[in-house]
Amino acid sequence: MSSIIFHIENGVAHITLNRPDKLNAFNREMAILLQARLDQCASLHEVRAVRITGMGKAFSAGQDLSEITAPGGPTMSQILSEHYNPIVKKIRAMAKPVVAAVNGVAAGAGANIALCCDIVVAAGSASFIQAFSRIGLIPDSGGTYFLPRLIGWQKASALAMLGDKVGADEAERLGMVYKVFPDETFVAESMQLSERLSAMATRSLALTKHALSRSFSQDLDTQLDLEDRFQQDAALTYDYREGVEAFLQKRAPVFLGK
Ligand code: LHQ
């Protein structure tokens, strides 16, 4: 069985991290396969939203620690430059919404890959651990970038240094997570949310995503100019015409993602 399970249904690409006996810890194979699937999601028009989740009781326990000590295993620099950094960059560059459906514990790189997604939802029993400091490392996979932006410097600093486990409800209260769904309905509700996104005006969601990403490094004037340009791009789409027409005709829009 592959360490990444992939299928497309109703416009959603479902990516499942599949090493459940290792709590879906990342080894090189899983990291490379995930990148290939993310590339596929980016290039296929029929994919209009991506949902990433984990098989079994965990989302992902981060780096497979047995791999880094194994003879011939990847080096530290390979792990970041060839595994995690490309994954984070591909998720952020994806011109489609990416949902992290955090079904269980998300630790280390597993937590930060979830946190770099556009919308993070969690099962009630899920949890997040910046496990790096527990083994003498620093948060990677974008942790030092996304965490302070999501929850503020103080909380990020404390969580990164202490490596405390944060339960789903607290993660929602802190702003790490958009919504927590009860364990019993988590799969259905997170799928529903992904399908709802896949039926929306995909180009406008992509432009929204990229505008939000840019806002962190730009001043207001530059950001207003960017909104002006992006809005003009959005206004050129079929979906914009459809959205306005449907509103005026008092019917539900049928967006095609173009
Ligand atoms: C694992 C792992 C794991 C292998 C559970 N590896 N087997 C970047 C640069 C380069 C190097 C290092 O990494 C990075 C990025 C990172 O991600 S650093 C952070 C790496 N991750 C961690 O340090 C987390 C390690 N795991 C844990 O602390 C616990 O397993 C958590 C808190 C996630 C879950 O605890 P439990 O629910 O009590 O499960 P468990 O500990 O009993 O684990 C179940 C099995 O999974 C167990 O195997 P076994 O054969 O005994 O059943 C674990 O050894 C295995 N496993 N995480 N990362």
Side-chain angles (χ1 to χ4, degrees):
M1 186 57 106
S2 172
S3 55
I4 295 287
I5 299 175
F6 182 80
H7 77 280
I8 300 169
E9 199 176 330
N10 299 329
V12 179
H14 295 269
I15 297 178
T16 305
L17 310 175
N18 185 38
R19 300 183 74 220
D21 53 327
K22 294 271 187 184
L23 302 188
N24 303 318
F26 276 88
N27 60 5
R28 183 170 173 83
E29 183 205 68
M30 189 164 101
I32 302 293
L33 280 176
L34 176 57
Q35 289 175 38
R37 291 307 193 182
L38 290 170
D39 285 342
Q40 207 178 343
C41 291
S43 65
L44 286 175
H45 177 73
E46 65 177 300
V47 173
R48 291 174 55 194
V50 179
R51 176 180 175 276
I52 305 176
T53 194
M55 179 63 78
K57 70 171 191 169
F59 178 77
S60 168
Q63 173 62 36
D64 184 330
L65 296 175
S66 57
E67 185 185 56
I68 51 173
T69 48
T75 62
M76 181 67 82
S77 105
Q78 270 182 310
I79 289 175
L80 293 187
S81 66
E82 296 177 17
H83 300 183
Y84 300 123
N85 291 355
I87 290 171
V88 171
K89 288 180 189 180
K90 284 176 196 294
I91 290 172
R92 293 315 310 153
M94 179 97 58
K96 309 170 183 189
V98 182
V99 174
V102 181
N103 53 305
V105 66
N112 292 336
I113 287 170
L115 295 181
C116 85
C117 292
D118 298 299
I119 299 182
V120 186
V121 293
S125 62
S127 57
F128 296 81
I129 310 173
Q130 294 294 320
F132 308 88
S133 63
R134 295 180 176 192
I135 55 166
L137 290 179
I138 69 151
D140 58 28
S141 309
T144 60
Y145 184 91
F146 295 104
L147 203 60
R149 285 166 167 80
L150 288 166
I151 66 174
W153 188 297
Q154 177 54 217
K155 297 279 185 191
S157 199
L159 291 183
M161 289 189 180
L162 297 169
D164 284 343
K165 180 173 175 169
V166 176
D169 290 330
E170 192 188 351
E172 182 184 13
R173 194 176 50 73
L174 289 171
M176 256 189 246
V177 158
Y178 174 55
K179 269 188 185 165
V180 176
F181 299 126
D183 285 355
E184 305 71 47
T185 57
F186 171 71
V187 171
E189 295 205 60
S190 63
M191 281 193 182
Q192 228 171 59
L193 178 96
S194 310
E195 288 190 8
R196 186 175 145 205
L197 287 164
S198 79
M200 294 181 72
T202 313
R203 286 295 304 145
S204 80
L205 300 187
L207 291 163
T208 301
K209 168 177 183 159
H210 294 143
L212 286 171
S213 295
R214 300 276 277 280
S215 75
F216 286 114
S217 56
Q218 300 193 140
D219 62 22
L220 177 61
D221 284 348
T222 316
Q223 192 67 16
L224 288 172
D225 289 345
L226 177 140
E227 286 179 5
D228 185 351
R229 276 186 286 118
F230 280 18
Q231 197 66 297
Q232 293 186 47
D233 289 349
L236 292 174
T237 62
Y238 168 89
D239 285 341
Y240 165 65
R241 289 199 308 277
E242 166 65 6
V244 173
E245 215 169 276
F247 175 80
L248 295 174
Q249 294 170 358
K250 299 190 187 303
R251 62 173 174 83
V254 181
F255 293 123
L256 300 180
K258 58 181 192 182

